[in-house]
Amino acid sequence: MTIQFFLLMGVAGCGKTTVGRALAERLGWAFYDADDYHPAENVAKMAAGIPLTDEDRAGWLERLHALILECLRNDRPAVLACSALKEQYRRVLLAEAEGVQLVYLRAGYDVCRQRLAERRGHYMPVSLLASQFEALEEPAEALVMDASLGVDEIVGQILTGAAASNSLLEQGGEIEPG
């Protein structure tokens, strides 16, 4: 399998967006943040401190799945930061999607709580973090990264891990993992 798409997953505050942007920049690929695809109702619900239900997430997951397939079908390598907390969500996101590498940014509650408390301009309140950890089903098959490491170190480990098990597509050829 040639990797053409990275899906970075984990709870709020684990660094999905920060690491995802850095990875996309390093590869010269597009970056997408799943938060940008939530309908206004979902954003309002989360901003009010109300956890989303599986029903709330259904349309959002379908939009993200369509984005993944569009990128793959049009040979547009990309990175997507998305919580993808449950196995059933990942099944929706990855259905018929060959060439996607799942990366799980594993972080402890205290690390995420601190990051969320310091974050400005985002609708996700610290009060929803516990519900994220409760919903989390760690993936059986993913590159697992320690989210408490530095961004550059995580990006390097993702590239090394992906290169060890697959080949990476980049405009112009192979990339160097280091």
Side-chain angles (χ1 to χ4, degrees), residues 161-173:
S165 60
N166 302 290
S167 60
L168 287 167
L169 172 68
E170 181 185 22
Q171 298 168 353

Side-chain angles (χ1 to χ4, degrees), residues 84-105:
L85 297 174
K86 294 183 179 182
E87 180 60 33
Q88 69 186 34
Y89 303 164
R90 295 186 292 273
R91 280 196 304 271
V92 170
L93 291 168
L94 300 175
E96 303 174 23
E98 293 293 323
V100 179
Q101 176 64 62
L102 182 63
V103 178
Y104 170 40
L105 297 177

Side-chain angles (χ1 to χ4, degrees), residues 72-147:
L72 293 171
R73 289 180 182 143
N74 292 303
D75 292 322
R76 288 192 343 249
V79 177
L80 172 65
C82 177
S83 55
L85 297 174
K86 294 183 179 182
E87 180 60 33
Q88 69 186 34
Y89 303 164
R90 295 186 292 273
R91 280 196 304 271
V92 170
L93 291 168
L94 300 175
E96 303 174 23
E98 293 293 323
V100 179
Q101 176 64 62
L102 182 63
V103 178
Y104 170 40
L105 297 177
R106 181 185 285 154
Y109 185 86
D110 291 338
V111 168
C112 293
R113 185 183 43 138
Q114 179 180 346
R115 289 177 180 174
L116 288 176
E118 295 171 355
R119 189 158 68 176
R120 300 290 173 249
H122 196 279
Y123 57 80
M124 181 72 166
V126 176
S127 63
L128 287 181
L129 185 59
S131 70
Q132 293 251 306
F133 273 93
E134 288 169 16
L136 177 63
E137 297 170 1
E138 292 192 344
E141 294 186 26
L143 287 176
V144 180
M145 299 291 131
D146 178 353

Side-chain angles (χ1 to χ4, degrees), residues 35-49:
D35 287 346
D36 297 335
Y37 291 80
H38 272 297
E41 302 81 35
N42 285 7
V43 172
K45 198 171 181 180
M46 288 182 284

Side-chain angles (χ1 to χ4, degrees), residues 16-28 31 79 151-152 155 159:
K16 296 179 298 290
T17 299
T18 302
V19 172
R21 285 178 203 245
L23 178 62
E25 184 176 321
R26 174 92 175 263
L27 291 169
F31 172 75
V79 177
V151 173
D152 290 339
V155 168
L159 295 175

